[in-house]
Amino acid sequence: MHDTTPPSQTLAPATAPEAPVESPWRRLMAEFAESRLALAGLGILLVVVVIALTAPWLSPQNPYDLAQLDVMDSKLEPGSPSATGGTYWLGTDDQGRDMLSGIFYGLRISLAVGAASTVLAVAIGVVFGLAAAYFGGWVDAVIMRIVDIQLSFPAILVALVLMATLGQGVGKIILALVTVQWAYYARTVRSSALVERQKEYVEAARVLALPQWRVVFRHLLPNCLPPLIVVATVQVAHAITLEATLSFLGLGLPITEPSLGLLISNGFQYLLSGKYWISFYPGVALLATIMAINLVADQMRDVLNPRLKR
């Protein structure tokens, strides 16, 4: 018996279905999730951010409202009852300020100052770094000499001089932090942009006579973002530390708007008398915040630059 099936109707071998293309965002999140320390840091950071954003509703007391402070409740131990029928879970400071409320509002100020100063410093540093790398010549020489002079002085010294000159206040401390931070971003962006400027896609954009601003901001800048993100994350923690240091020294925020650094400073003189909670709990909150940011930054460095993975 002969096979009557035409050759043209012979079934072709089935091909395997193509695997779905994983998005870069999912790939980055999967690599980030490989580190338990990074996830723990991210969890702590999210809790801190939520507390800072909801401080007016979570806090039992407004520590900035002098009418709510009672000197008779000063330096009470953790767990002591308040005159209003509540409980001072973390005790009070020498002004009768509820430490838990002070920490919540202190986190609010620390994160706001750190984020605002970083955003402004990044904007300034990116503009100067891209200009130095793209134009080169005397523009590059002038900008980088200014950066070298800026980085030759310790950041805390420059911030101390500025705050002693400008006085206290949130806006003034943000200005001081921007002044000491922008040079880091300018140098980071310049080094990345110098590498990208030699690549073919930049030469092609120049051949097509595209506007210079488009070449710089649409082609160079996006490829400079990975190292910039890592540096910015680290510098947020640095800015928070600087603000706490300045406030601890009495040059940051006024006593009526205490940050974590000022809360620590208020209780420093009472440590030897056993009233540890005035400085201890704000110090723990500050340490946890900085540690969480550094853990996230360390993992982001590994994710955005696979060559540095351990």
Side-chain angles (χ1 to χ4, degrees):
M1 190 172 181
H2 300 286
D3 187 5
T4 59
T5 303
S8 60
Q9 297 181 5
T10 304
L11 296 177
T15 58
E18 295 183 359
V21 179
E22 187 178 17
S23 66
W25 174 251
R26 286 191 174 184
R27 179 176 56 82
L28 290 176
M29 291 302 296
E31 293 181 5
F32 188 89
E34 292 177 358
S35 173
R36 293 184 178 179
L37 284 177
L39 289 178
L42 182 61
I44 295 173
L45 185 58
L46 289 176
V47 171
V48 169
V49 171
V50 170
I51 289 175
L53 293 177
T54 60
W57 298 276
L58 291 180
S59 302
Q61 176 193 84
N62 183 354
Y64 299 161
D65 186 2
L66 298 180
Q68 297 186 27
L69 305 184
D70 189 354
V71 177
M72 299 301 293
D73 287 343
S74 64
K75 295 176 283 189
L76 294 180
E77 295 183 356
S80 300
S82 66
T84 58
T87 303
Y88 293 124
W89 296 108
L90 300 183
T92 61
D93 63 3
D94 57 345
Q95 303 294 321
R97 182 182 291 111
D98 176 38
M99 293 305 303
L100 182 62
S101 302
I103 290 173
F104 286 173
Y105 274 80
L107 287 172
R108 187 183 183 90
I109 285 186
S110 296
L111 290 180
V113 170
S117 61
T118 299
V119 169
L120 293 175
V122 166
I124 296 172
V126 164
V127 170
F128 282 101
L130 288 175
Y134 185 78
F135 295 107
W138 68 269
V139 176
D140 183 25
V142 170
I143 292 176
M144 294 318 296
R145 293 301 75 76
I146 296 175
V147 168
D148 291 339
I149 293 173
Q150 172 73 56
L151 296 179
S152 64
F153 294 98
I156 183 63
L157 178 61
V158 177
L160 281 172
V161 172
L162 288 174
M163 291 306 298
T165 304
L166 299 173
Q168 295 178 327
V170 175
K172 295 172 183 178
I173 198 170
I174 290 176
L175 176 60
L177 294 177
V178 170
T179 303
V180 301
Q181 282 187 314
W182 73 272
Y184 295 101
Y185 304 111
R187 174 167 286 183
T188 301
V189 171
R190 174 184 177 272
S191 62
S192 300
L194 284 176
V195 175
E196 296 296 327
R197 191 183 64 174
Q198 307 301 325
K199 295 186 177 179
E200 295 180 353
Y201 71 91
V202 176
E203 296 298 330
R206 287 175 172 173
V207 170
L208 293 175
L210 295 180
Q212 291 183 343
W213 66 266
R214 186 172 180 180
V215 176
V216 172
F217 291 102
R218 294 288 300 275
H219 298 280
L220 281 180
L221 180 57
N223 292 284
C224 299
L225 288 181
L228 184 63
I229 292 173
V230 175
V231 173
T233 308
V234 175
Q235 287 300 314
V236 169
H238 188 214
I240 293 174
T241 305
L242 275 178
E243 182 276 321
T245 303
L246 293 171
S247 297
F248 181 86
L249 296 175
L251 295 174
L253 299 174
I255 190 67
T256 55
E257 299 180 2
S259 65
L260 293 179
L262 192 55
L263 291 175
I264 297 171
S265 177
N266 289 344
F268 188 73
Q269 58 182 320
Y270 301 110
L271 287 177
L272 295 179
S273 61
K275 297 175 176 58
Y276 66 90
W277 59 87
I278 302 177
S279 287
F280 177 74
Y281 292 119
V284 171
L286 179 63
L287 177 63
T289 302
I290 295 173
M291 181 184 67
I293 295 175
N294 284 331
L295 288 174
V296 172
D298 185 67
Q299 183 65 9
M300 289 180 64
R301 180 198 63 178
D302 292 345
V303 169
L304 295 175
N305 191 351
R307 292 176 296 179
L308 295 179
K309 283 188 177 181
R310 294 181 291 273

